Amino acid sequence: MELTSLIISFATLMWYCIDRLKIMWEDCHYGRYITMTVAAVFAFALSFAYDLDMVFALGFMSNVTTMGKILTSLLLMGGSSAISEIIERIKF
């Protein structure tokens, strides 16, 4: 599987899981920050466990780097609205 497809698949899976878990804390006063924290932990865990590097996947670097993994983690964290719209349209 191509690395960009893998990153998109993991982003979709990550936000699907977070959207399902969010009901546990959405009524909490700090629910937004809890979601951001869970997304950060999940994104960094995926990026570093599976060597996900968007900079490498796009061909800008010749190998996977730590900075690329960090940037990929930040991209995964920020993808909630786009991924949520895709999930809502698919309706698993």
Side-chain angles (χ1 to χ4, degrees):
M1 179 181 253
E2 190 178 323
L3 187 57
T4 53
S5 299
L6 185 64
I7 292 170
I8 292 169
S9 299
F10 275 133
T12 305
L13 178 65
M14 180 183 96
W15 280 105
Y16 177 79
C17 293
I18 290 172
D19 283 343
R20 297 302 173 248
L21 294 173
K22 199 177 352 180
I23 60 169
M24 295 188 302
W25 63 77
E26 68 184 354
D27 293 332
C28 181
H29 180 66
Y30 298 107
R32 178 179 179 193
Y33 301 108
I34 295 170
T35 301
M36 288 178 4
T37 303
V38 170
V41 170
F42 211 153
F44 276 89
L46 284 173
S47 290
F48 282 88
Y50 291 100
D51 285 334
L52 302 179
D53 184 347
M54 185 59 89
V55 178
F56 171 72
L58 293 173
F60 295 124
M61 297 293 289
S62 59
N63 56 352
V64 175
T65 63
T66 302
M67 188 52 130
K69 291 179 192 177
I70 292 170
L71 290 172
T72 303
S73 298
L74 294 173
L75 287 171
L76 287 172
M77 285 174 51
S80 64
S81 61
I83 299 298
S84 292
E85 287 182 30
I86 292 170
I87 291 171
E88 287 299 316
R89 292 181 194 271
I90 294 174
K91 291 287 185 183
F92 286 104

Coordinates of all heavy atoms in Angstrom, one line a residue:
M1 N 0.9 -1.2 0.0 CA 0.0 0.0 0.0 C 0.9 1.2 0.0 O 1.9 1.3 0.7 CB -0.9 0.0 1.2 CG -1.8 1.2 1.3 SD -2.8 1.1 2.8 CE -4.4 0.7 2.1
E2 N 0.6 2.2 -0.8 CA 1.3 3.4 -0.9 C 1.2 4.2 0.5 O 0.2 4.2 1.1 CB 0.8 4.3 -2.0 CG 1.6 5.5 -2.3 CD 1.1 6.2 -3.5 OE1 0.5 5.6 -4.4 OE2 1.1 7.5 -3.4
L3 N 2.3 4.9 0.8 CA 2.4 5.5 2.1 C 1.3 6.6 2.3 O 0.7 6.7 3.4 CB 3.8 6.1 2.3 CG 4.1 6.7 3.7 CD1 3.8 5.6 4.8 CD2 5.5 7.2 3.8
T4 N 1.0 7.4 1.2 CA 0.0 8.4 1.4 C -1.4 7.8 1.6 O -2.2 8.3 2.4 CB -0.1 9.3 0.1 OG1 -0.2 8.5 -1.0 CG2 1.2 10.2 0.0
S5 N -1.7 6.7 1.0 CA -2.9 6.0 1.2 C -3.0 5.4 2.6 O -4.1 5.5 3.2 CB -3.1 4.8 0.2 OG -3.1 5.3 -1.1
L6 N -1.9 5.0 3.1 CA -1.8 4.5 4.5 C -2.1 5.6 5.5 O -2.8 5.4 6.4 CB -0.5 3.8 4.7 CG -0.3 3.1 6.1 CD1 -1.2 2.0 6.2 CD2 1.2 2.7 6.2
I7 N -1.5 6.8 5.2 CA -1.7 7.9 6.1 C -3.2 8.3 6.1 O -3.8 8.6 7.2 CB -0.8 9.1 5.7 CG1 0.7 8.7 6.0 CG2 -1.2 10.3 6.5 CD1 1.7 9.7 5.5
I8 N -3.8 8.4 4.9 CA -5.2 8.8 4.8 C -6.1 7.7 5.5 O -7.0 8.1 6.2 CB -5.6 9.0 3.4 CG1 -4.9 10.2 2.8 CG2 -7.1 9.1 3.2 CD1 -5.0 10.3 1.3
S9 N -5.7 6.5 5.4 CA -6.5 5.4 6.0 C -6.4 5.5 7.5 O -7.4 5.4 8.2 CB -6.0 4.0 5.6 OG -6.2 3.9 4.2
F10 N -5.2 5.7 8.0 CA -5.0 5.9 9.5 C -5.7 7.1 10.0 O -6.3 7.1 11.1 CB -3.5 5.9 9.9 CG -2.9 4.5 10.0 CD1 -1.7 4.2 9.4 CD2 -3.6 3.6 10.8 CE1 -1.1 3.0 9.6 CE2 -3.0 2.3 10.9 CZ -1.8 2.0 10.4
A11 N -5.7 8.2 9.3 CA -6.4 9.4 9.7 C -7.9 9.2 9.8 O -8.5 9.6 10.8 CB -6.1 10.5 8.7
T12 N -8.4 8.5 8.8 CA -9.9 8.2 8.8 C -10.2 7.3 10.0 O -11.2 7.5 10.7 CB -10.3 7.5 7.5 OG1 -9.9 8.4 6.4 CG2 -11.8 7.3 7.5
L13 N -9.4 6.2 10.2 CA -9.7 5.3 11.3 C -9.5 6.0 12.7 O -10.4 5.8 13.6 CB -8.7 4.1 11.2 CG -8.8 3.1 12.3 CD1 -10.1 2.4 12.3 CD2 -7.7 2.1 12.2
M14 N -8.5 6.9 12.8 CA -8.3 7.6 14.0 C -9.5 8.5 14.4 O -10.0 8.4 15.5 CB -7.0 8.4 13.9 CG -6.7 9.2 15.2 SD -5.2 10.2 15.0 CE -6.0 11.8 14.5
W15 N -9.9 9.3 13.4 CA -11.0 10.2 13.7 C -12.3 9.5 13.8 O -13.2 10.0 14.6 CB -11.0 11.3 12.7 CG -10.0 12.3 13.0 CD1 -8.8 12.5 12.4 CD2 -10.0 13.2 14.2 NE1 -8.1 13.5 13.1 CE2 -8.8 13.9 14.2 CE3 -11.0 13.5 15.2 CZ2 -8.5 14.9 15.1 CZ3 -10.7 14.4 16.1 CH2 -9.5 15.1 16.1
Y16 N -12.5 8.3 13.2 CA -13.7 7.6 13.4 C -13.8 7.1 14.9 O -14.8 7.2 15.5 CB -13.7 6.4 12.4 CG -14.9 5.5 12.7 CD1 -16.2 5.8 12.1 CD2 -14.8 4.3 13.4 CE1 -17.3 5.0 12.3 CE2 -15.9 3.5 13.5 CZ -17.1 3.8 13.0 OH -18.2 3.0 13.2
C17 N -12.7 6.6 15.4 CA -12.6 6.1 16.8 C -12.8 7.3 17.7 O -13.5 7.1 18.7 CB -11.3 5.4 17.0 SG -11.0 3.9 16.2
I18 N -12.2 8.4 17.5 CA -12.3 9.6 18.4 C -13.7 10.1 18.4 O -14.3 10.4 19.4 CB -11.3 10.7 18.0 CG1 -9.9 10.2 18.3 CG2 -11.6 12.0 18.7 CD1 -8.8 11.2 17.8
D19 N -14.4 10.1 17.2 CA -15.8 10.6 17.1 C -16.7 9.7 17.9 O -17.6 10.1 18.5 CB -16.2 10.7 15.7 CG -15.7 11.9 15.0 OD1 -15.3 12.8 15.7 OD2 -15.8 11.9 13.7
R20 N -16.4 8.4 17.9 CA -17.2 7.4 18.7 C -16.9 7.5 20.2 O -17.8 7.3 21.0 CB -17.0 6.0 18.2 CG -17.4 5.7 16.8 CD -18.8 6.1 16.6 NE -19.2 6.0 15.2 CZ -19.5 7.0 14.4 NH1 -19.6 8.2 14.9 NH2 -19.8 6.9 13.2
L21 N -15.7 7.8 20.6 CA -15.3 7.9 22.0 C -15.7 9.3 22.6 O -15.8 9.4 23.8 CB -13.8 7.7 22.2 CG -13.3 6.3 21.9 CD1 -11.8 6.3 21.9 CD2 -13.9 5.3 22.9
K22 N -15.9 10.3 21.7 CA -16.1 11.7 22.2 C -17.4 11.8 23.0 O -17.5 12.7 23.8 CB -16.2 12.6 21.0 CG -16.0 14.0 21.3 CD -15.9 15.0 20.1 CE -16.0 14.4 18.7 NZ -15.9 15.5 17.7
I23 N -18.3 10.9 22.9 CA -19.5 11.0 23.6 C -19.3 10.9 25.1 O -20.1 11.4 25.9 CB -20.6 10.0 23.2 CG1 -20.1 8.6 23.4 CG2 -21.0 10.2 21.8 CD1 -21.1 7.5 23.2
M24 N -18.2 10.3 25.5 CA -17.8 10.2 26.9 C -17.5 11.5 27.6 O -17.7 11.7 28.8 CB -16.7 9.2 27.1 CG -17.0 7.8 26.7 SD -15.8 6.6 27.2 CE -14.3 7.2 26.4
W25 N -17.0 12.5 26.8 CA -16.5 13.7 27.4 C -17.1 15.0 26.7 O -16.7 16.1 27.1 CB -15.0 13.8 27.4 CG -14.4 13.8 26.1 CD1 -14.3 14.8 25.2 CD2 -13.7 12.7 25.4 NE1 -13.7 14.4 24.0 CE2 -13.3 13.1 24.2 CE3 -13.5 11.4 25.8 CZ2 -12.6 12.3 23.3 CZ3 -12.8 10.6 24.9 CH2 -12.4 11.0 23.7
E26 N -18.0 14.8 25.8 CA -18.5 16.0 25.1 C -19.3 16.9 25.9 O -19.4 18.1 25.6 CB -19.2 15.6 23.8 CG -20.6 14.9 24.1 CD -21.2 14.5 22.8 OE1 -20.7 14.8 21.7 OE2 -22.2 13.8 22.9
D27 N -19.9 16.5 27.0 CA -20.7 17.3 27.9 C -19.8 18.0 28.9 O -20.2 18.9 29.6 CB -21.8 16.6 28.6 CG -22.8 16.1 27.6 OD1 -23.0 16.7 26.6 OD2 -23.5 15.0 27.9
C28 N -18.5 17.6 29.0 CA -17.6 18.2 30.0 C -17.2 19.6 29.5 O -17.2 19.9 28.3 CB -16.4 17.3 30.0 SG -15.1 17.8 31.2
H29 N -17.0 20.4 30.5 CA -16.6 21.8 30.2 C -15.3 21.9 29.4 O -15.2 22.8 28.5 CB -16.4 22.6 31.5 CG -16.0 24.0 31.4 ND1 -16.9 24.9 30.8 CD2 -14.9 24.7 31.6 CE1 -16.3 26.1 30.7 NE2 -15.1 26.0 31.3
Y30 N -14.4 21.0 29.6 CA -13.1 21.0 28.8 C -13.1 19.9 27.8 O -12.1 19.5 27.4 CB -12.0 20.8 29.8 CG -11.8 21.9 30.8 CD1 -12.2 21.7 32.1 CD2 -11.4 23.1 30.4 CE1 -12.0 22.7 33.1 CE2 -11.2 24.1 31.4 CZ -11.6 23.9 32.7 OH -11.4 24.9 33.6
G31 N -14.3 19.6 27.3 CA -14.4 18.5 26.3 C -13.5 18.7 25.0 O -13.0 17.8 24.4
R32 N -13.5 20.0 24.6 CA -12.7 20.3 23.4 C -11.2 20.0 23.6 O -10.6 19.5 22.7 CB -12.9 21.8 23.1 CG -12.2 22.3 21.9 CD -12.6 23.8 21.8 NE -11.9 24.4 20.7 CZ -11.8 25.7 20.5 NH1 -12.4 26.5 21.3 NH2 -11.2 26.1 19.4
Y33 N -10.7 20.3 24.8 CA -9.3 20.1 25.1 C -9.0 18.6 25.2 O -7.9 18.2 24.9 CB -8.9 20.9 26.3 CG -9.1 22.4 26.1 CD1 -10.1 23.1 26.7 CD2 -8.3 23.1 25.2 CE1 -10.4 24.4 26.5 CE2 -8.6 24.5 24.9 CZ -9.6 25.1 25.6 OH -9.8 26.4 25.4
I34 N -10.0 17.9 25.8 CA -9.8 16.5 25.9 C -9.7 15.8 24.5 O -8.9 15.0 24.3 CB -11.0 15.8 26.7 CG1 -10.9 16.3 28.2 CG2 -10.9 14.3 26.7 CD1 -12.1 16.0 29.0
T35 N -10.6 16.3 23.6 CA -10.5 15.8 22.2 C -9.2 16.1 21.6 O -8.6 15.2 20.9 CB -11.7 16.4 21.4 OG1 -12.9 16.0 22.0 CG2 -11.6 15.8 20.0
M36 N -8.7 17.3 21.8 CA -7.4 17.6 21.2 C -6.3 16.8 21.8 O -5.3 16.4 21.1 CB -7.1 19.1 21.4 CG -7.9 20.0 20.6 SD -7.8 21.8 20.8 CE -6.5 22.1 21.9
T37 N -6.3 16.5 23.1 CA -5.3 15.7 23.7 C -5.3 14.3 23.2 O -4.3 13.7 22.9 CB -5.5 15.7 25.3 OG1 -5.4 17.1 25.7 CG2 -4.4 14.9 26.0
V38 N -6.5 13.7 23.2 CA -6.7 12.3 22.6 C -6.2 12.2 21.2 O -5.5 11.3 20.8 CB -8.1 11.8 22.8 CG1 -8.4 10.5 22.0 CG2 -8.5 11.7 24.2
A39 N -6.5 13.2 20.4 CA -6.1 13.3 19.0 C -4.6 13.4 18.9 O -3.9 12.7 18.1 CB -6.7 14.4 18.3
A40 N -3.9 14.2 19.8 CA -2.5 14.3 19.8 C -1.8 13.0 20.2 O -0.9 12.6 19.5 CB -2.1 15.4 20.8
V41 N -2.3 12.4 21.2 CA -1.7 11.1 21.6 C -1.8 10.0 20.5 O -0.9 9.3 20.2 CB -2.3 10.6 23.0 CG1 -1.9 9.2 23.3 CG2 -1.9 11.6 24.1
F42 N -3.1 9.9 20.0 CA -3.3 9.0 18.9 C -2.5 9.2 17.7 O -1.9 8.3 17.1 CB -4.8 9.0 18.6 CG -5.5 7.8 18.1 CD1 -6.8 7.6 18.3 CD2 -4.7 6.8 17.5 CE1 -7.4 6.4 17.9 CE2 -5.3 5.6 17.1 CZ -6.7 5.4 17.3
A43 N -2.4 10.5 17.3 CA -1.7 10.8 16.1 C -0.2 10.6 16.2 O 0.5 10.0 15.3 CB -1.9 12.3 15.7
F44 N 0.4 11.0 17.3 CA 1.8 10.8 17.5 C 2.1 9.3 17.7 O 3.2 8.8 17.2 CB 2.3 11.5 18.8 CG 2.7 13.0 18.4 CD1 1.7 14.0 18.5 CD2 3.9 13.3 18.0 CE1 2.0 15.3 18.2 CE2 4.3 14.6 17.7 CZ 3.3 15.6 17.8
A45 N 1.2 8.5 18.3 CA 1.5 7.1 18.5 C 1.4 6.4 17.1 O 2.3 5.6 16.8 CB 0.4 6.5 19.4
L46 N 0.5 6.8 16.2 CA 0.4 6.2 14.9 C 1.6 6.6 14.0 O 2.2 5.7 13.4 CB -0.9 6.6 14.2 CG -2.2 6.0 14.6 CD1 -3.4 6.7 13.9 CD2 -2.2 4.5 14.3
S47 N 2.0 7.9 14.1 CA 3.1 8.3 13.3 C 4.4 7.7 13.6 O 5.2 7.2 12.7 CB 3.3 9.8 13.4 OG 2.2 10.5 12.8
F48 N 4.7 7.5 14.9 CA 6.0 7.0 15.3 C 5.9 5.4 15.3 O 7.0 4.8 15.0 CB 6.4 7.5 16.7 CG 6.9 8.9 16.6 CD1 6.1 10.0 16.6 CD2 8.3 9.1 16.4 CE1 6.6 11.3 16.5 CE2 8.8 10.4 16.2 CZ 8.0 11.5 16.3
A49 N 4.8 4.8 15.5 CA 4.7 3.4 15.5 C 4.8 2.8 14.1 O 5.4 1.7 13.9 CB 3.5 2.9 16.2
Y50 N 4.2 3.5 13.1 CA 4.2 3.0 11.8 C 5.1 3.8 10.8 O 5.0 3.7 9.6 CB 2.8 3.0 11.3 CG 1.9 2.0 11.9 CD1 1.0 2.4 13.0 CD2 2.0 0.7 11.5 CE1 0.3 1.4 13.6 CE2 1.2 -0.3 12.2 CZ 0.3 0.1 13.2 OH -0.4 -0.8 13.8
D51 N 6.0 4.7 11.3 CA 6.9 5.5 10.5 C 6.1 6.3 9.4 O 6.5 6.3 8.3 CB 8.0 4.6 9.9 CG 9.0 4.2 10.9 OD1 9.2 5.0 11.9 OD2 9.7 3.2 10.7
L52 N 5.1 6.9 9.8 CA 4.3 7.7 8.9 C 4.9 9.1 8.7 O 5.1 9.8 9.7 CB 2.8 7.9 9.4 CG 2.0 6.6 9.6 CD1 0.7 7.0 10.1 CD2 2.0 5.8 8.4
D53 N 5.3 9.4 7.5 CA 6.0 10.7 7.2 C 5.5 11.2 5.9 O 5.8 10.7 4.8 CB 7.5 10.4 7.1 CG 8.3 11.7 6.9 OD1 7.8 12.7 6.6 OD2 9.6 11.6 7.0
M54 N 4.7 12.2 6.0 CA 4.0 12.8 4.8 C 5.1 13.5 3.9 O 4.9 13.5 2.7 CB 2.9 13.8 5.3 CG 2.2 14.4 4.1 SD 1.3 13.1 3.1 CE -0.2 13.1 4.0
V55 N 6.1 14.1 4.5 CA 7.1 14.7 3.7 C 7.9 13.7 2.8 O 8.1 13.9 1.7 CB 8.1 15.4 4.6 CG1 9.3 16.1 3.8 CG2 7.4 16.5 5.5
F56 N 8.1 12.5 3.4 CA 8.7 11.4 2.7 C 7.8 10.9 1.6 O 8.1 10.6 0.5 CB 9.2 10.3 3.6 CG 9.6 9.1 2.9 CD1 10.8 9.0 2.2 CD2 8.8 7.9 2.9 CE1 11.3 7.9 1.6 CE2 9.2 6.8 2.3 CZ 10.5 6.7 1.6
A57 N 6.5 10.7 2.0 CA 5.5 10.2 1.1 C 5.3 11.1 -0.1 O 5.0 10.6 -1.2 CB 4.2 10.0 1.9
L58 N 5.4 12.4 0.1 CA 5.3 13.3 -1.1 C 6.5 13.4 -1.9 O 6.5 14.1 -3.0 CB 4.9 14.7 -0.6 CG 3.5 14.7 0.0 CD1 3.2 16.1 0.7 CD2 2.4 14.4 -1.0
G59 N 7.6 12.7 -1.5 CA 8.8 12.7 -2.3 C 9.8 13.9 -2.0 O 10.7 14.1 -2.8
F60 N 9.6 14.6 -1.0 CA 10.4 15.8 -0.7 C 11.7 15.3 0.0 O 12.7 16.1 0.0 CB 9.7 16.8 0.1 CG 8.6 17.5 -0.6 CD1 7.3 17.5 0.0 CD2 8.8 18.1 -1.8 CE1 6.2 18.1 -0.7 CE2 7.7 18.7 -2.5 CZ 6.5 18.7 -1.9
M61 N 11.7 14.2 0.7 CA 12.9 13.7 1.4 C 13.2 12.3 0.9 O 12.2 11.6 0.4 CB 12.7 13.6 2.9 CG 12.5 15.0 3.5 SD 13.9 16.0 3.5 CE 15.0 15.2 4.6
S62 N 14.4 11.8 1.0 CA 14.7 10.5 0.5 C 14.6 9.4 1.6 O 14.7 8.2 1.3 CB 16.2 10.5 0.0 OG 17.1 10.9 1.0
N63 N 14.4 9.8 2.8 CA 14.1 8.9 3.9 C 13.2 9.5 4.9 O 12.9 10.7 5.0 CB 15.4 8.4 4.5 CG 16.3 9.6 5.1 OD1 15.9 10.7 4.8 ND2 17.3 9.3 5.7
V64 N 12.7 8.6 5.8 CA 11.7 9.0 6.8 C 12.6 9.7 7.9 O 13.6 9.3 8.4 CB 11.0 7.8 7.4 CG1 10.1 8.2 8.6 CG2 10.2 7.1 6.4
T65 N 12.1 10.9 8.4 CA 12.7 11.7 9.4 C 11.8 11.9 10.6 O 10.6 11.8 10.5 CB 13.2 13.1 8.8 OG1 12.0 13.8 8.5 CG2 14.1 12.9 7.6
T66 N 12.4 12.2 11.7 CA 11.7 12.5 12.9 C 10.8 13.8 12.7 O 9.6 13.8 13.1 CB 12.6 12.7 14.1 OG1 13.4 11.5 14.3 CG2 11.8 13.0 15.4
M67 N 11.4 14.8 12.1 CA 10.6 16.0 11.8 C 9.4 15.7 10.9 O 8.3 16.3 11.1 CB 11.5 17.1 11.2 CG 10.7 18.4 11.2 SD 10.0 18.9 12.8 CE 10.6 20.5 12.9
G68 N 9.6 14.8 10.0 CA 8.5 14.4 9.1 C 7.4 13.7 9.8 O 6.2 13.9 9.6
K69 N 7.8 12.9 10.8 CA 6.8 12.2 11.6 C 6.0 13.2 12.5 O 4.8 13.0 12.7 CB 7.5 11.2 12.5 CG 8.1 10.0 11.8 CD 8.8 9.1 12.8 CE 9.6 8.0 12.1 NZ 10.3 7.2 13.1
I70 N 6.7 14.2 13.0 CA 6.1 15.2 13.8 C 5.1 16.0 13.0 O 3.9 16.2 13.4 CB 7.1 16.1 14.5 CG1 7.9 15.3 15.5 CG2 6.4 17.3 15.1 CD1 9.1 16.1 16.1
L71 N 5.5 16.4 11.8 CA 4.6 17.1 10.9 C 3.4 16.3 10.5 O 2.3 16.8 10.4 CB 5.3 17.6 9.7 CG 6.3 18.7 9.9 CD1 7.1 19.0 8.6 CD2 5.6 20.0 10.3
T72 N 3.6 15.0 10.3 CA 2.5 14.1 9.9 C 1.6 14.0 11.1 O 0.3 14.0 10.9 CB 3.1 12.7 9.5 OG1 4.0 12.9 8.4 CG2 1.9 11.8 9.2
S73 N 2.1 13.9 12.3 CA 1.2 13.8 13.5 C 0.4 15.1 13.6 O -0.8 15.0 13.9 CB 2.1 13.7 14.8 OG 2.8 12.6 14.8
L74 N 0.9 16.2 13.4 CA 0.2 17.5 13.4 C -0.9 17.5 12.3 O -2.0 18.0 12.5 CB 1.1 18.7 13.3 CG 2.1 18.9 14.5 CD1 3.1 20.0 14.1 CD2 1.3 19.1 15.7
L75 N -0.6 17.0 11.1 CA -1.6 16.9 10.1 C -2.7 15.9 10.5 O -3.9 16.2 10.2 CB -0.9 16.4 8.8 CG 0.0 17.4 8.1 CD1 0.7 16.7 6.9 CD2 -0.8 18.6 7.5
L76 N -2.4 14.8 11.1 CA -3.4 13.9 11.5 C -4.3 14.5 12.6 O -5.5 14.3 12.6 CB -2.7 12.6 12.1 CG -2.1 11.6 11.1 CD1 -1.4 10.6 11.9 CD2 -3.1 11.0 10.2
M77 N -3.7 15.3 13.5 CA -4.5 16.0 14.5 C -5.4 17.0 13.9 O -6.6 17.1 14.4 CB -3.6 16.7 15.5 CG -2.8 15.8 16.4 SD -1.7 16.8 17.4 CE -2.6 18.1 18.0
G78 N -5.0 17.7 12.9 CA -5.8 18.8 12.3 C -6.9 18.3 11.3 O -7.6 19.1 10.9
G79 N -6.9 17.1 11.0 CA -7.8 16.6 10.0 C -9.2 16.2 10.4 O -10.0 15.6 9.7
S80 N -9.6 16.6 11.6 CA -10.9 16.2 12.2 C -12.1 16.6 11.3 O -13.0 15.8 11.1 CB -11.0 16.6 13.6 OG -11.1 18.0 13.6
S81 N -12.1 17.9 10.9 CA -13.4 18.3 10.2 C -13.5 17.7 8.9 O -14.6 17.2 8.5 CB -13.3 19.8 10.1 OG -12.2 20.2 9.3
A82 N -12.5 17.6 8.1 CA -12.6 16.9 6.8 C -12.9 15.4 6.9 O -13.7 14.9 6.2 CB -11.2 17.1 6.0
I83 N -12.2 14.8 7.8 CA -12.5 13.3 8.0 C -13.9 13.1 8.6 O -14.6 12.2 8.1 CB -11.4 12.7 9.0 CG1 -10.0 12.9 8.4 CG2 -11.7 11.3 9.3 CD1 -9.8 12.1 7.1
S84 N -14.3 14.0 9.5 CA -15.7 13.8 10.0 C -16.8 14.0 8.9 O -17.7 13.2 8.9 CB -16.0 14.9 11.1 OG -15.2 14.6 12.2
E85 N -16.5 14.9 8.0 CA -17.5 15.0 6.9 C -17.5 13.8 6.0 O -18.6 13.3 5.6 CB -17.1 16.2 6.0 CG -17.4 17.6 6.7 CD -17.1 18.7 5.8 OE1 -17.2 18.6 4.6 OE2 -16.8 19.8 6.4
I86 N -16.3 13.2 5.7 CA -16.3 12.0 4.9 C -17.0 10.8 5.7 O -17.8 10.1 5.1 CB -14.8 11.6 4.7 CG1 -14.2 12.6 3.7 CG2 -14.7 10.2 4.1 CD1 -12.7 12.5 3.6
I87 N -16.7 10.7 7.0 CA -17.4 9.6 7.7 C -18.9 9.8 7.8 O -19.7 8.8 7.6 CB -16.8 9.6 9.2 CG1 -15.4 9.1 9.1 CG2 -17.6 8.7 10.1 CD1 -14.6 9.2 10.4
E88 N -19.4 11.0 7.9 CA -20.8 11.3 7.9 C -21.5 10.9 6.6 O -22.6 10.5 6.6 CB -21.1 12.8 8.3 CG -20.8 13.1 9.7 CD -21.7 12.3 10.7 OE1 -22.9 12.2 10.4 OE2 -21.2 11.8 11.7
R89 N -20.8 11.2 5.5 CA -21.3 10.9 4.2 C -21.3 9.4 3.9 O -22.2 8.9 3.3 CB -20.6 11.6 3.1 CG -20.8 13.1 3.2 CD -20.0 13.8 2.1 NE -20.0 15.2 2.3 CZ -20.9 16.1 1.9 NH1 -21.9 15.7 1.2 NH2 -20.7 17.4 2.1
I90 N -20.3 8.7 4.5 CA -20.3 7.2 4.2 C -21.3 6.5 5.1 O -21.9 5.5 4.7 CB -18.8 6.7 4.5 CG1 -17.9 7.3 3.4 CG2 -18.8 5.2 4.5 CD1 -16.4 6.9 3.6
K91 N -21.4 6.9 6.4 CA -22.3 6.3 7.4 C -22.1 4.8 7.5 O -22.8 4.0 7.0 CB -23.8 6.6 7.0 CG -24.2 8.0 7.1 CD -24.3 8.4 8.5 CE -24.9 9.8 8.6 NZ -25.0 10.3 9.9
F92 N -21.0 4.5 8.2 CA -20.6 3.1 8.5 C -21.8 2.3 9.0 O -22.4 2.4 9.9 CB -19.4 3.0 9.4 CG -18.2 3.4 8.7 CD1 -17.6 4.6 8.9 CD2 -17.6 2.5 7.8 CE1 -16.4 4.9 8.3 CE2 -16.4 2.8 7.2 CZ -15.8 4.1 7.4

